[in-house]
Short mmCIF file of all heavy atoms in Angstrom, two decimals:
data_model
loop_
_atom_site.label_atom_id
_atom_site.label_comp_id
_atom_site.label_asym_id
_atom_site.label_seq_id
_atom_site.Cartn_x
_atom_site.Cartn_y
_atom_site.Cartn_z
N LYS A 634 -10.97 43.49 -5.63
CA LYS A 634 -9.98 44.33 -4.95
C LYS A 634 -9.58 43.64 -3.66
O LYS A 634 -10.38 42.98 -3.03
CB LYS A 634 -10.59 45.70 -4.66
CG LYS A 634 -11.00 46.42 -5.92
CD LYS A 634 -11.37 47.87 -5.61
CE LYS A 634 -11.75 48.62 -6.86
NZ LYS A 634 -13.02 48.15 -7.47
N ARG A 635 -8.33 43.79 -3.29
CA ARG A 635 -7.84 43.23 -2.06
C ARG A 635 -8.63 43.81 -0.89
O ARG A 635 -8.85 45.03 -0.84
CB ARG A 635 -6.36 43.58 -1.93
CG ARG A 635 -5.61 42.70 -0.98
CD ARG A 635 -4.17 43.17 -0.88
NE ARG A 635 -3.64 42.77 0.41
CZ ARG A 635 -2.96 41.65 0.60
NH1 ARG A 635 -2.70 40.86 -0.40
NH2 ARG A 635 -2.53 41.34 1.82
N ILE A 636 -9.06 42.96 0.02
CA ILE A 636 -9.84 43.45 1.16
C ILE A 636 -8.94 44.29 2.06
O ILE A 636 -7.82 43.93 2.36
CB ILE A 636 -10.40 42.25 1.98
CG1 ILE A 636 -11.34 41.43 1.11
CG2 ILE A 636 -11.11 42.73 3.24
CD1 ILE A 636 -11.71 40.08 1.71
N LYS A 637 -9.45 45.46 2.47
CA LYS A 637 -8.66 46.29 3.40
C LYS A 637 -8.99 45.87 4.83
O LYS A 637 -10.15 45.76 5.20
CB LYS A 637 -9.00 47.77 3.20
CG LYS A 637 -8.48 48.29 1.87
CD LYS A 637 -8.46 49.80 1.81
CE LYS A 637 -7.77 50.24 0.53
NZ LYS A 637 -8.25 51.54 0.05
N ASN A 638 -7.95 45.66 5.61
CA ASN A 638 -8.14 45.14 6.97
C ASN A 638 -7.70 46.14 8.01
O ASN A 638 -6.78 46.91 7.78
CB ASN A 638 -7.25 43.91 7.19
CG ASN A 638 -7.51 42.85 6.16
OD1 ASN A 638 -8.53 42.17 6.20
ND2 ASN A 638 -6.61 42.72 5.20
N CYS A 639 -8.30 46.09 9.18
CA CYS A 639 -7.68 46.78 10.31
C CYS A 639 -7.96 46.03 11.60
O CYS A 639 -9.01 45.40 11.75
CB CYS A 639 -8.10 48.23 10.39
SG CYS A 639 -9.81 48.47 10.77
N VAL A 640 -6.99 46.06 12.48
CA VAL A 640 -7.12 45.45 13.80
C VAL A 640 -7.16 46.58 14.81
O VAL A 640 -6.21 47.35 14.90
CB VAL A 640 -5.93 44.53 14.11
CG1 VAL A 640 -6.08 43.92 15.50
CG2 VAL A 640 -5.80 43.43 13.06
N VAL A 641 -8.25 46.71 15.54
CA VAL A 641 -8.39 47.84 16.46
C VAL A 641 -8.98 47.38 17.79
O VAL A 641 -9.47 46.25 17.89
CB VAL A 641 -9.31 48.92 15.86
CG1 VAL A 641 -8.64 49.60 14.68
CG2 VAL A 641 -10.64 48.32 15.44
N ASP A 642 -8.94 48.25 18.79
CA ASP A 642 -9.55 47.87 20.06
C ASP A 642 -10.98 48.42 20.15
O ASP A 642 -11.45 49.10 19.24
CB ASP A 642 -8.68 48.29 21.25
CG ASP A 642 -8.51 49.78 21.33
OD1 ASP A 642 -9.47 50.51 20.98
OD2 ASP A 642 -7.42 50.23 21.73
N TYR A 645 -12.58 51.85 19.17
CA TYR A 645 -12.79 52.18 17.76
C TYR A 645 -14.21 51.85 17.31
O TYR A 645 -14.62 52.20 16.21
CB TYR A 645 -11.77 51.37 16.94
CG TYR A 645 -11.68 51.74 15.48
CD1 TYR A 645 -10.91 52.83 15.06
CD2 TYR A 645 -12.35 51.00 14.51
CE1 TYR A 645 -10.81 53.16 13.72
CE2 TYR A 645 -12.26 51.32 13.16
CZ TYR A 645 -11.50 52.40 12.77
OH TYR A 645 -11.40 52.72 11.45
N MET A 743 -17.09 43.53 6.86
CA MET A 743 -17.16 42.45 7.84
C MET A 743 -16.52 43.00 9.11
O MET A 743 -15.36 43.37 9.12
CB MET A 743 -16.38 41.23 7.32
CG MET A 743 -16.10 40.16 8.35
SD MET A 743 -17.56 39.41 9.07
CE MET A 743 -18.19 38.42 7.74
N ILE A 745 -15.73 42.09 13.03
CA ILE A 745 -15.70 40.94 13.92
C ILE A 745 -15.37 41.37 15.34
O ILE A 745 -14.28 41.87 15.61
CB ILE A 745 -14.69 39.89 13.43
CG1 ILE A 745 -15.03 39.50 11.98
CG2 ILE A 745 -14.69 38.66 14.34
CD1 ILE A 745 -14.01 38.60 11.33
N ALA A 748 -12.33 39.47 18.20
CA ALA A 748 -11.61 38.69 17.20
C ALA A 748 -10.57 37.78 17.84
O ALA A 748 -10.21 36.74 17.29
CB ALA A 748 -10.95 39.61 16.19
N GLY A 752 -9.89 31.35 16.01
CA GLY A 752 -8.67 30.91 15.36
C GLY A 752 -8.49 31.72 14.09
O GLY A 752 -9.44 32.23 13.52
N LEU A 753 -7.24 31.88 13.67
CA LEU A 753 -6.99 32.69 12.48
C LEU A 753 -7.64 32.10 11.24
O LEU A 753 -8.13 32.81 10.38
CB LEU A 753 -5.48 32.84 12.25
CG LEU A 753 -4.73 33.70 13.27
CD1 LEU A 753 -3.30 33.89 12.80
CD2 LEU A 753 -5.40 35.05 13.44
N ALA A 754 -7.64 30.77 11.14
CA ALA A 754 -8.21 30.13 9.96
C ALA A 754 -9.70 30.46 9.88
O ALA A 754 -10.24 30.72 8.80
CB ALA A 754 -8.00 28.63 10.01
N GLN A 755 -10.33 30.48 11.03
CA GLN A 755 -11.75 30.79 11.07
C GLN A 755 -12.00 32.26 10.70
O GLN A 755 -12.93 32.58 9.98
CB GLN A 755 -12.28 30.50 12.47
CG GLN A 755 -13.77 30.36 12.51
CD GLN A 755 -14.26 30.00 13.89
OE1 GLN A 755 -13.49 29.98 14.86
NE2 GLN A 755 -15.54 29.72 13.99
N LEU A 756 -11.13 33.12 11.20
CA LEU A 756 -11.26 34.54 10.85
C LEU A 756 -11.10 34.74 9.35
O LEU A 756 -11.77 35.55 8.73
CB LEU A 756 -10.22 35.37 11.62
CG LEU A 756 -10.46 35.50 13.12
CD1 LEU A 756 -9.27 36.19 13.80
CD2 LEU A 756 -11.73 36.29 13.42
N HIS A 757 -10.21 33.95 8.78
CA HIS A 757 -9.99 34.04 7.34
C HIS A 757 -11.25 33.63 6.57
O HIS A 757 -11.64 34.26 5.60
CB HIS A 757 -8.80 33.14 6.96
CG HIS A 757 -8.51 33.10 5.50
ND1 HIS A 757 -8.17 34.23 4.78
CD2 HIS A 757 -8.52 32.09 4.60
CE1 HIS A 757 -7.98 33.90 3.50
NE2 HIS A 757 -8.19 32.60 3.38
N GLN A 758 -11.90 32.57 7.04
CA GLN A 758 -13.17 32.14 6.45
C GLN A 758 -14.23 33.23 6.57
O GLN A 758 -14.96 33.51 5.62
CB GLN A 758 -13.69 30.88 7.17
CG GLN A 758 -13.12 29.59 6.65
CD GLN A 758 -13.71 29.21 5.30
OE1 GLN A 758 -14.85 29.53 5.00
NE2 GLN A 758 -12.92 28.55 4.48
N ARG A 760 -13.78 36.44 6.97
CA ARG A 760 -13.42 37.56 6.11
C ARG A 760 -13.81 37.27 4.66
O ARG A 760 -14.18 38.15 3.91
CB ARG A 760 -11.92 37.83 6.22
CG ARG A 760 -11.44 38.84 5.20
CD ARG A 760 -10.05 39.32 5.49
NE ARG A 760 -9.07 38.25 5.40
CZ ARG A 760 -7.80 38.39 5.73
NH1 ARG A 760 -7.35 39.53 6.19
NH2 ARG A 760 -6.96 37.37 5.63
N GLY A 761 -13.73 35.98 4.30
CA GLY A 761 -14.07 35.56 2.94
C GLY A 761 -15.52 35.84 2.55
O GLY A 761 -15.91 35.69 1.41
N GLN A 769 -14.80 47.74 -3.38
CA GLN A 769 -13.79 47.62 -2.33
C GLN A 769 -14.46 47.12 -1.06
O GLN A 769 -15.51 47.60 -0.66
CB GLN A 769 -13.17 49.00 -2.08
CG GLN A 769 -12.15 49.02 -0.94
CD GLN A 769 -10.94 48.16 -1.25
OE1 GLN A 769 -10.29 48.32 -2.28
NE2 GLN A 769 -10.64 47.21 -0.36
N SER A 770 -13.84 46.11 -0.41
CA SER A 770 -14.41 45.60 0.84
C SER A 770 -13.45 45.80 2.00
O SER A 770 -12.26 46.01 1.81
CB SER A 770 -14.74 44.12 0.69
OG SER A 770 -15.84 43.96 -0.17
N TYR A 771 -14.03 45.71 3.20
CA TYR A 771 -13.26 46.01 4.41
C TYR A 771 -13.52 44.96 5.47
O TYR A 771 -14.64 44.47 5.61
CB TYR A 771 -13.69 47.37 4.96
CG TYR A 771 -13.59 48.47 3.94
CD1 TYR A 771 -14.67 48.72 3.07
CD2 TYR A 771 -12.43 49.23 3.82
CE1 TYR A 771 -14.58 49.72 2.11
CE2 TYR A 771 -12.34 50.23 2.86
CZ TYR A 771 -13.42 50.47 2.01
OH TYR A 771 -13.33 51.44 1.06
N CYS A 772 -12.48 44.65 6.23
CA CYS A 772 -12.67 43.78 7.37
C CYS A 772 -12.10 44.45 8.61
O CYS A 772 -10.94 44.85 8.64
CB CYS A 772 -11.99 42.44 7.11
SG CYS A 772 -12.41 41.24 8.37
N ILE A 773 -12.96 44.59 9.63
CA ILE A 773 -12.54 45.26 10.85
C ILE A 773 -12.49 44.23 11.98
O ILE A 773 -13.51 43.66 12.35
CB ILE A 773 -13.54 46.37 11.23
CG1 ILE A 773 -13.74 47.31 10.04
CG2 ILE A 773 -13.05 47.14 12.46
CD1 ILE A 773 -14.92 48.27 10.21
N PHE A 774 -11.30 43.96 12.48
CA PHE A 774 -11.16 43.02 13.60
C PHE A 774 -11.13 43.83 14.88
O PHE A 774 -10.21 44.61 15.11
CB PHE A 774 -9.86 42.24 13.48
CG PHE A 774 -9.74 41.44 12.21
CD1 PHE A 774 -8.95 41.89 11.16
CD2 PHE A 774 -10.40 40.24 12.06
CE1 PHE A 774 -8.83 41.16 9.99
CE2 PHE A 774 -10.29 39.50 10.90
CZ PHE A 774 -9.51 39.96 9.85
N ILE A 775 -12.14 43.66 15.72
CA ILE A 775 -12.13 44.35 17.01
C ILE A 775 -11.58 43.39 18.03
O ILE A 775 -12.09 42.28 18.20
CB ILE A 775 -13.56 44.75 17.43
CG1 ILE A 775 -14.24 45.56 16.34
CG2 ILE A 775 -13.52 45.47 18.77
CD1 ILE A 775 -14.09 47.04 16.42
N SER A 776 -10.52 43.82 18.70
CA SER A 776 -9.90 42.93 19.66
C SER A 776 -10.07 43.49 21.05
O SER A 776 -9.72 44.63 21.33
CB SER A 776 -8.43 42.79 19.30
OG SER A 776 -7.74 42.27 20.38
N SER A 780 -3.05 42.48 24.53
CA SER A 780 -1.74 41.83 24.69
C SER A 780 -0.96 41.75 23.38
O SER A 780 -1.52 41.63 22.30
CB SER A 780 -1.93 40.42 25.23
OG SER A 780 -2.20 39.53 24.19
N ALA A 781 0.34 41.86 23.52
CA ALA A 781 1.22 41.92 22.35
C ALA A 781 1.08 40.66 21.50
O ALA A 781 1.02 40.73 20.27
CB ALA A 781 2.65 42.12 22.79
N ALA A 782 0.99 39.51 22.17
CA ALA A 782 0.91 38.24 21.44
C ALA A 782 -0.33 38.22 20.57
O ALA A 782 -0.31 37.79 19.42
CB ALA A 782 0.88 37.08 22.42
N ASN A 783 -1.42 38.73 21.14
CA ASN A 783 -2.67 38.74 20.41
C ASN A 783 -2.61 39.68 19.21
O ASN A 783 -3.08 39.38 18.13
CB ASN A 783 -3.78 39.14 21.37
CG ASN A 783 -5.12 39.05 20.72
OD1 ASN A 783 -5.42 38.07 20.05
ND2 ASN A 783 -5.91 40.09 20.86
N GLN A 784 -2.01 40.84 19.43
CA GLN A 784 -1.86 41.80 18.33
C GLN A 784 -1.07 41.18 17.20
O GLN A 784 -1.40 41.33 16.03
CB GLN A 784 -1.15 43.07 18.81
CG GLN A 784 -1.94 43.87 19.82
CD GLN A 784 -3.16 44.55 19.19
OE1 GLN A 784 -3.24 44.73 17.98
NE2 GLN A 784 -4.13 44.90 20.02
N GLU A 785 -0.02 40.46 17.57
CA GLU A 785 0.85 39.88 16.56
C GLU A 785 0.10 38.84 15.74
O GLU A 785 0.23 38.74 14.53
CB GLU A 785 2.06 39.24 17.24
CG GLU A 785 3.13 38.83 16.27
CD GLU A 785 4.28 38.08 16.96
OE1 GLU A 785 4.33 38.08 18.22
OE2 GLU A 785 5.08 37.48 16.25
N ARG A 786 -0.72 38.06 16.46
CA ARG A 786 -1.51 37.02 15.82
C ARG A 786 -2.47 37.63 14.80
O ARG A 786 -2.55 37.21 13.66
CB ARG A 786 -2.30 36.29 16.90
CG ARG A 786 -2.59 34.85 16.64
CD ARG A 786 -3.13 34.20 17.90
NE ARG A 786 -4.46 34.67 18.24
CZ ARG A 786 -5.57 34.19 17.70
NH1 ARG A 786 -5.51 33.24 16.82
NH2 ARG A 786 -6.73 34.65 18.05
N LEU A 787 -3.18 38.66 15.23
CA LEU A 787 -4.15 39.27 14.32
C LEU A 787 -3.46 40.00 13.17
O LEU A 787 -4.01 40.16 12.10
CB LEU A 787 -5.06 40.22 15.10
CG LEU A 787 -6.03 39.53 16.05
CD1 LEU A 787 -6.83 40.55 16.85
CD2 LEU A 787 -6.99 38.61 15.30
N LYS A 788 -2.23 40.42 13.42
CA LYS A 788 -1.48 41.10 12.37
C LYS A 788 -1.26 40.21 11.16
O LYS A 788 -1.19 40.68 10.04
CB LYS A 788 -0.12 41.53 12.94
CG LYS A 788 -0.01 43.03 12.88
CD LYS A 788 1.34 43.58 13.07
CE LYS A 788 1.50 44.72 12.09
NZ LYS A 788 1.26 46.00 12.62
N VAL A 789 -1.16 38.91 11.42
CA VAL A 789 -0.97 37.96 10.33
C VAL A 789 -2.11 38.14 9.31
O VAL A 789 -1.91 38.12 8.11
CB VAL A 789 -0.96 36.52 10.86
CG1 VAL A 789 -0.96 35.52 9.72
CG2 VAL A 789 0.24 36.30 11.75
N LEU A 790 -3.31 38.33 9.84
CA LEU A 790 -4.47 38.50 8.96
C LEU A 790 -4.41 39.80 8.19
O LEU A 790 -4.84 39.89 7.05
CB LEU A 790 -5.75 38.50 9.80
CG LEU A 790 -6.18 37.16 10.34
CD1 LEU A 790 -7.34 37.35 11.28
CD2 LEU A 790 -6.59 36.23 9.22
N GLU A 791 -3.87 40.81 8.87
CA GLU A 791 -3.76 42.11 8.24
C GLU A 791 -2.81 42.00 7.05
O GLU A 791 -3.01 42.63 6.03
CB GLU A 791 -3.20 43.09 9.27
CG GLU A 791 -3.74 44.46 9.17
CD GLU A 791 -3.19 45.33 10.32
OE1 GLU A 791 -2.57 44.79 11.27
OE2 GLU A 791 -3.35 46.52 10.24
N GLU A 792 -1.80 41.16 7.21
CA GLU A 792 -0.75 41.12 6.22
C GLU A 792 -0.97 40.09 5.12
O GLU A 792 -0.35 40.17 4.07
CB GLU A 792 0.60 40.83 6.91
CG GLU A 792 1.14 42.06 7.60
CD GLU A 792 2.17 41.72 8.66
OE1 GLU A 792 2.53 40.53 8.79
OE2 GLU A 792 2.60 42.65 9.35
N SER A 793 -1.83 39.10 5.38
CA SER A 793 -1.94 38.05 4.38
C SER A 793 -3.39 37.73 4.05
O SER A 793 -4.28 37.82 4.90
CB SER A 793 -1.26 36.78 4.90
OG SER A 793 -1.43 35.74 3.97
N ASN A 794 -3.63 37.38 2.81
CA ASN A 794 -4.95 36.90 2.40
C ASN A 794 -4.88 35.46 1.94
O ASN A 794 -5.77 34.96 1.29
CB ASN A 794 -5.50 37.78 1.27
CG ASN A 794 -6.27 38.96 1.81
OD1 ASN A 794 -6.96 38.87 2.83
ND2 ASN A 794 -6.14 40.09 1.16
N ASP A 795 -3.76 34.81 2.24
CA ASP A 795 -3.53 33.46 1.75
C ASP A 795 -3.84 32.46 2.85
O ASP A 795 -3.19 32.44 3.89
CB ASP A 795 -2.07 33.37 1.29
CG ASP A 795 -1.69 31.96 0.86
OD1 ASP A 795 -2.18 30.98 1.48
OD2 ASP A 795 -0.89 31.83 -0.08
N GLY A 796 -4.86 31.64 2.63
CA GLY A 796 -5.35 30.73 3.65
C GLY A 796 -4.29 29.81 4.24
O GLY A 796 -4.24 29.60 5.44
N GLU A 798 -0.95 30.18 4.28
CA GLU A 798 0.04 30.95 5.03
C GLU A 798 -0.52 31.32 6.41
O GLU A 798 0.16 31.21 7.42
CB GLU A 798 0.35 32.21 4.22
CG GLU A 798 1.57 32.96 4.74
CD GLU A 798 1.78 34.24 3.93
OE1 GLU A 798 1.51 34.23 2.71
OE2 GLU A 798 2.20 35.22 4.56
N ILE A 799 -1.76 31.72 6.43
CA ILE A 799 -2.39 32.12 7.69
C ILE A 799 -2.45 30.95 8.67
O ILE A 799 -2.08 31.07 9.83
CB ILE A 799 -3.81 32.67 7.42
CG1 ILE A 799 -3.69 34.02 6.73
CG2 ILE A 799 -4.59 32.79 8.71
CD1 ILE A 799 -4.99 34.55 6.18
N ALA A 800 -2.88 29.80 8.17
CA ALA A 800 -3.00 28.62 9.04
C ALA A 800 -1.64 28.24 9.62
O ALA A 800 -1.51 27.91 10.80
CB ALA A 800 -3.58 27.47 8.26
N LYS A 802 1.09 30.16 10.01
CA LYS A 802 1.60 31.16 10.95
C LYS A 802 0.87 31.09 12.28
O LYS A 802 1.45 31.27 13.34
CB LYS A 802 1.45 32.56 10.36
CG LYS A 802 2.45 32.85 9.28
CD LYS A 802 2.94 34.29 9.38
CE LYS A 802 4.07 34.54 8.42
NZ LYS A 802 3.78 35.61 7.47
N ASP A 803 -0.42 30.83 12.21
CA ASP A 803 -1.22 30.75 13.42
C ASP A 803 -0.61 29.73 14.36
O ASP A 803 -0.46 29.95 15.56
CB ASP A 803 -2.65 30.34 13.06
CG ASP A 803 -3.61 30.53 14.23
OD1 ASP A 803 -3.24 31.25 15.17
OD2 ASP A 803 -4.72 29.97 14.19
N LEU A 806 2.70 30.80 15.97
CA LEU A 806 2.54 31.79 17.03
C LEU A 806 1.98 31.15 18.29
O LEU A 806 2.25 31.60 19.39
CB LEU A 806 1.62 32.92 16.56
CG LEU A 806 2.25 33.82 15.50
CD1 LEU A 806 1.24 34.82 14.98
CD2 LEU A 806 3.45 34.55 16.08
#
Side-chain angles (χ1 to χ4, degrees):
K634 299 190 178 68
R635 200 182 154 94
I636 298 168
K637 291 196 173 151
N638 304 286
C639 67
V640 179
V641 291
D642 62 35
Y645 189 82
M743 167 61 72
I745 304 173
L753 291 187
Q755 198 177 8
L756 290 173
H757 177 61
Q758 275 286 329
R760 172 168 64 186
Q769 177 64 54
S770 290
Y771 306 87
C772 189
I773 307 168
F774 301 102
I775 306 269
S776 163
S780 85
N783 185 46
Q784 294 290 341
E785 190 185 349
R786 210 169 70 83
L787 290 176
K788 242 194 140 98
V789 172
L790 286 173
E791 215 176 349
E792 283 160 5
S793 177
N794 271 323
D795 175 324
E798 192 183 325
I799 289 169
K802 285 219 173 121
D803 192 16
L806 290 174

